[in-house]
Amino acid sequence: MGETRLPRHMFLWSMAIIYMFAFASLYVQIPGLYGNEGVLPVRLVEPRVDGSRPVLEQIHAHPSLLWLGPRLGLDLDAQQAMELLCLAGALLALGAALLEPLRDSLVFFCLWALYLSLCQVGQDFLRFQWDSLLLEAGFLTVLVAPLNLLRWRSAFRQHDAVTFWLVRWLLFRLTFGSGVAKLASHCPSWWGLTAVNHMFEAQGIPLPWSWFIQQLPDWYLKLGTVGLLVTEIAVPPLYFAPIRSLRLAAFYIQVCVWLHQQLLNMTWPQTIMSLVLLAVFAVIIYGTKVLFTLEIDWEAKTITYKTAFTQQQFGNWLKLVTGPTIWVGVLSLTWEVVAAMLGCVCVRGCLWKLWGLVQWAVIASAAVAVFAISQVYSSKILPEVRQAYSLVERYRLVSAYSLDSRMTGVDGRSEVVLEGSMDKNTWTEIEFMYKPGNVGMAPPVVAPHQPRLDWQMSQAAQGLAEQSPWFTSLVHCLLQGNKDVVRLIQTDSAQYPFSQAPPVYLRASLYKYWFTQTWWRRGYSEEFYPAVQLGGLTLEGMLSQHGLKEKFPIQPSPDSPLAQALRQVRDHVQTLPGHLVLWSLLATVATIWLLKTLLSGVLGGRKAKPTPAEPKAKKAKDQPAAKNASASSLKAERENSEESRRDADKSPKKRK
C-alpha cells in the first residue's frame, strides 16, 4: 500500500490541475463557439426537459446537467448554463489542487460529471482525443480518490493497488495502442523512420521550440523516430512486470526521464533486482539494434537506420501478441485483486475485516468492469461485454486512441488562410492568434490553453471544406461581424483588419507551410472555400445543406441575479487572450502554493521548538525514552520533582 501512496497523491493533484485548465480554457471560448450567435450555438442542441419522463431516464438518455437548470429554478440561457458549469468546475478543481481534503472521490465525480455535461453538447469542438482521455482518466480518478468528505477515511486502503492498476492499464492502452497504430497504418514515414522529421512541423499548433527541434540533424531525428517506436511498443508491457524497479524504469523512460533508485549501498536483493533490470533493458537495446539495423559511421559522425522487418511480419507478430497481452492484463489484475483481499483479511478486528472486504468488493467489481469494457475495440470481444459497453457508451468511460496514425505534413503542413474583401478585388488576410499564418512570425506559446478554433482549422486543412460544416458557420458569423467569434481570432481589435466594419466577401485558400531558417515559408496550393457574401446563393445553399439555418428565433437573455453575475465575470475576462487568462490562473496557483509553503514552514518551525512553558510537548517527546529507563532513574526524577516543589513552597511569593 505504501508503494501507491505517493503516486496516488501525485495523480490526484495532477488531475485537479488538468481539470482546472480544461474548464478555464473552455470558458474563455464559450461565447464565440457556443453563444447564441456563435459558430455552433449550443441552444440548437441542448436537451429539452420532458416533464412526463422520470429524471433518471432523462439523465441516462442525455447525461448532461444543462437540462437540469430549469428544474433547479435557474433562469439562464444555454450559453450562460455552459459558463456556469465551466466556472463551477474551474473553482472546484482549483480548490482540489490547493487543499488536499478536497481531493475526494465525490469532488472528482462532480468534476467528471461537469466535463461530461459539456462534452455532450460540445459538438465538433469537444470531440478531440484529449477530451476523451480526460473523461476516461477522470472517471478512474473517482475510483482512486478517497472518501474524505464523508469521514470514511480508513486506517488502511488495501484496494489502492487495484484502483491504481486501472491507471497503469489506461497508460498501457494509450502508449502501446499508439505505437502499434503507427506501424499498422502502413505509413511510409513510420516505416521509413522519417516521421519525427515532419512531426513538429505538422503538429496541430506548432510551438516555438518546434522550429528548433526541426533544425536538428537528420540522423538525430531518425533516432527520435526509433526511440519513439521502442518506448511505445517495447516498454509499455513492463508496466505489469512483477518487479517494481522494472515498472518504475518503464514509466520513467516513457516520460523521457529515467530516475532509478540509488545504486550505492545496496543489499544483495537490490543488487539482483538491478541486474535483472539491466538485463531486460539490454535485451530491448539489442533488439532495437537488430530490428532497425542501427549502424554508426564514426568517420561521418552519423547513425544510419533501416527497418529490418516487413509489414507482413509485423502483422503476424501483432496477431500473435494481442491475445497474450490481454491475458497478461487479466493475470496482473487478478494478482492485485487477490492481494488486496488478503490484505483486508489480515487486518485486526472483525469489524475492520468486514469493512475492508466491503470496500474491496465494490472496488474490485468496478475495476473488473472497467477492464472488461476497455476491450470493446478488440475483435475477440465477448458479446456480453459489447452489450455492457453499449449501456455506458454515452458516458465515454473508455475510448480508442490513435486508431489512425498516418503522418501528415510530409510534403509540408496544410493550412487554411482566410481572406476578406470589401469590393472583391482587394483581399486582406485574416491572421489568427495561434495557428500559423504570417510567415515571419514565430509560433506562440499556447499551453496550457487549448484554442479549439485554431486547432480545428488545422484539422479542416487535412480534408475538404464539405467535411467541416462548422467552417461555413464560421464564415457566416464573420460576414455578420459577430464580435464573440472575432475574439476567437483576435482579442486585440487593432490586429483584426475588419474591426470597423465586417467584410463584404470572404474566401479561404489552402497553403503549404514549411519551417525554414526564418521560421516559415509557404506556397499556394488550391482554393479551399469560394468567395461568398451574405444573402448569396452559394452561402445560403451551404447553410441549408449543413443544417445551419436558424430553427427558432433567439430568445432574449434572462435578467436574473445569477445571469447578471455571469455577465459581469464575462465582461472582465473577454478582453484578454485565452493564454493570458490561463497564465494568470497558473501564477495565482503558484503564488498561493508558495505562500502556503512559507507559512507552513514558519508555523511548523515554531511548533517544533519546545519551550520551558511547554512541558507536555517535551514529555511527549521524551516518553519513549522514559519507558525504557531504569527504576532508579525514575525514582531520582520523582525525588527531584519533590525537591522542586518544596523549594517553590519556600519562595517569598508562595508565602505571601
Side-chain angles (χ1 to χ4, degrees):
M1 184 182 65
E3 295 179 358
T4 62
R5 185 176 292 114
L6 179 59
R8 177 167 61 91
H9 288 324
M10 292 301 299
F11 175 66
L12 296 178
W13 180 83
S14 300
M15 286 299 297
I17 293 292
I18 293 171
Y19 266 126
M20 179 185 67
F21 286 141
F23 282 114
S25 177
L26 180 59
Y27 171 77
V28 299
Q29 303 175 73
I30 284 179
L33 293 180
Y34 302 111
N36 290 331
E37 298 180 356
V39 179
L40 294 176
V42 66
R43 63 187 178 83
L44 302 181
V45 296
E46 66 170 331
R48 302 294 171 180
V49 179
D50 186 0
S52 61
R53 299 172 60 188
V55 176
L56 293 179
E57 183 180 341
Q58 293 188 61
I59 290 178
H60 181 68
H62 301 285
S64 177
L65 299 175
L66 289 176
W67 63 269
L68 287 177
R71 285 181 173 267
L72 298 176
L74 300 179
D75 187 14
L76 302 173
D77 59 24
Q79 173 189 336
Q80 293 170 337
M82 285 192 73
E83 292 180 351
L84 180 61
L85 294 186
C86 277
L87 289 175
L91 292 175
L92 196 59
L94 175 62
L98 297 176
L99 302 174
E100 184 175 351
L102 288 181
R103 292 171 213 157
D104 181 83
S105 181
L106 296 178
V107 171
F108 281 110
F109 177 78
C110 293
L111 292 173
W112 174 79
L114 289 170
Y115 203 76
L116 176 65
S117 301
L118 296 168
C119 288
Q120 290 295 324
V121 296
Q123 306 168 76
D124 292 336
F125 294 106
L126 272 169
R127 290 176 183 166
F128 296 113
Q129 283 199 4
W130 64 72
D131 295 312
S132 299
L133 180 59
L134 180 54
L135 285 174
E136 184 170 355
F139 181 75
L140 296 184
T141 310
V142 178
L143 301 178
V144 172
L147 276 169
N148 291 334
L149 296 181
L150 295 181
R151 305 293 182 182
W152 285 357
R153 185 183 301 176
S154 302
F156 63 97
R157 289 176 53 89
Q158 299 295 336
H159 60 270
D160 275 354
V162 178
T163 55
F164 211 74
W165 184 93
L166 293 174
V167 180
R168 275 193 286 156
W169 178 247
L170 173 59
L171 183 61
F172 169 79
R173 288 174 42 231
L174 181 64
T175 54
F176 186 76
S178 178
V180 167
K182 288 177 173 61
L183 294 179
S185 65
H186 306 299
C187 177
S189 297
W190 290 109
W191 284 91
L193 306 180
T194 60
V196 175
N197 298 53
H198 314 285
M199 179 182 295
F200 294 94
E201 181 182 75
Q203 64 187 135
I205 299 180
L207 300 171
W209 45 87
S210 302
W211 180 87
F212 291 98
I213 296 176
Q214 197 73 20
Q215 311 306 313
L216 294 173
D218 182 71
W219 67 268
Y220 190 87
L221 295 175
K222 284 188 175 181
L223 178 63
T225 306
V226 174
L228 185 61
L229 292 174
V230 171
T231 55
E232 288 188 346
I233 297 177
V235 174
L238 298 178
Y239 297 160
F240 308 105
I243 302 174
R244 185 170 182 263
S245 298
L246 278 177
R247 299 198 301 269
L248 287 175
F251 172 76
Y252 291 139
I253 287 178
Q254 191 63 49
V255 295
C256 302
V257 181
W258 188 4
L259 301 175
H260 190 44
Q261 295 177 348
Q262 294 181 355
L263 298 179
L264 300 176
N265 302 321
M266 292 188 301
T267 61
W268 276 108
Q270 290 174 325
T271 305
I272 294 174
M273 292 302 176
S274 297
L275 291 176
V276 173
L277 179 69
L278 293 175
V280 169
F281 285 102
V283 171
I284 292 177
I285 293 173
Y286 178 76
T288 303
K289 181 183 183 303
V290 172
L291 294 175
F292 295 99
T293 59
L294 271 68
E295 296 181 0
I296 302 177
D297 188 344
W298 296 104
E299 295 181 358
K301 297 181 179 180
T302 60
I303 306 177
T304 58
Y305 317 89
K306 183 180 179 181
T307 306
F309 53 93
T310 64
Q311 295 182 3
Q312 183 178 0
Q313 290 174 330
F314 176 76
N316 294 335
W317 173 83
L318 186 59
K319 293 178 182 178
L320 182 65
V321 302
T322 299
T325 299
I326 297 177
W327 279 110
V328 167
V330 171
L331 293 176
S332 179
L333 177 58
T334 302
W335 174 269
E336 298 291 355
V337 169
V338 173
M341 182 190 67
L342 294 177
C344 295
V345 173
C346 294
V347 174
R348 293 182 179 179
C350 294
L351 292 179
W352 283 116
K353 282 186 175 68
L354 180 60
W355 175 233
L357 288 173
V358 170
Q359 293 184 73
W360 169 83
V362 174
I363 295 298
S365 301
V368 172
V370 171
F371 173 77
I373 63 176
S374 69
Q375 307 300 320
V376 70
Y377 299 101
S378 174
S379 58
K380 299 180 180 180
I381 192 67
L382 296 175
E384 293 79 8
V385 175
R386 193 175 299 277
Q387 183 179 3
Y389 172 76
S390 64
L391 297 176
V392 297
E393 182 179 5
R394 57 177 56 88
Y395 299 102
R396 299 170 70 171
L397 301 183
V398 297
S399 302
Y401 304 102
S402 300
L403 292 180
D404 184 12
S405 293
R406 296 186 64 87
M407 177 54 61
T408 59
V410 176
D411 57 343
R413 67 172 292 128
S414 299
E415 203 64 60
V416 176
V417 175
L418 267 172
E419 296 175 300
S421 175
M422 306 301 291
D423 55 8
K424 212 175 182 179
N425 293 321
T426 303
W427 293 90
T428 304
E429 184 174 332
I430 298 177
E431 293 281 350
F432 283 66
M433 285 187 291
Y434 305 111
K435 80 178 192 68
N438 189 335
V439 294
M441 294 185 62
V445 178
V446 181
H449 180 49
Q450 285 290 355
R452 295 178 180 268
L453 178 60
D454 295 67
W455 193 279
Q456 276 287 21
M457 290 287 287
S458 66
Q459 299 300 307
Q462 309 304 321
L464 302 175
E466 290 77 9
Q467 297 172 328
S468 302
W470 60 267
F471 190 83
T472 297
S473 180
L474 172 65
V475 170
H476 186 241
C477 292
L478 293 179
L479 289 173
Q480 291 178 320
N482 185 283
K483 294 182 179 180
D484 291 329
V485 177
V486 170
R487 289 192 189 97
L488 294 176
I489 299 174
Q490 288 288 349
T491 52
D492 185 2
S493 59
Q495 301 297 323
Y496 187 68
F498 301 99
S499 57
Q500 301 300 322
V504 178
Y505 301 93
L506 271 179
R507 70 181 184 185
S509 302
L510 200 63
Y511 282 80
K512 292 288 185 179
Y513 278 70
W514 300 270
F515 274 137
T516 64
Q517 298 299 322
T518 56
W519 299 117
W520 296 104
R521 68 180 177 90
R522 74 180 185 183
Y524 177 82
S525 181
E526 60 183 346
E527 180 186 78
F528 181 79
Y529 201 86
V532 295
Q533 67 182 92
L534 281 178
L537 295 178
T538 303
L539 181 60
E540 292 297 321
M542 290 183 178
L543 290 173
S544 300
Q545 176 185 351
H546 298 308
L548 298 171
K549 298 287 287 184
E550 294 291 345
K551 298 179 181 179
F552 28 80
I554 301 176
Q555 300 295 328
S557 299
D559 200 30
S560 63
L562 181 57
Q564 293 178 7
L566 290 173
R567 279 195 290 268
Q568 289 179 359
V569 175
R570 172 61 59 189
D571 292 339
H572 284 84
V573 174
Q574 66 182 3
T575 57
L576 297 175
H579 65 282
L580 290 183
V581 174
L582 266 72
W583 288 352
S584 302
L585 184 60
L586 178 61
T588 302
V589 173
T591 302
I592 295 175
W593 264 108
L594 180 60
L595 293 175
K596 182 179 177 182
T597 304
L598 292 176
L599 291 175
S600 61
V602 172
L603 297 177
R606 291 178 180 176
K607 291 181 180 179
K609 275 188 176 184
T611 62
E614 296 176 336
K616 292 183 179 180
K618 187 174 182 180
K619 183 178 179 180
K621 182 178 179 181
D622 298 333
Q623 188 174 2
K627 288 183 179 180
N628 299 327
S630 62
S632 59
S633 62
L634 292 174
K635 183 178 180 180
E637 289 180 3
R638 286 196 296 268
E639 292 176 354
N640 291 335
S641 61
E642 291 176 358
E643 290 178 0
S644 299
R645 285 196 297 270
R646 286 196 296 268
D647 292 340
D649 293 338
K650 295 178 181 180
S651 63
K653 291 184 179 180
K654 185 71 176 177
R655 287 195 298 268
K656 290 181 182 179

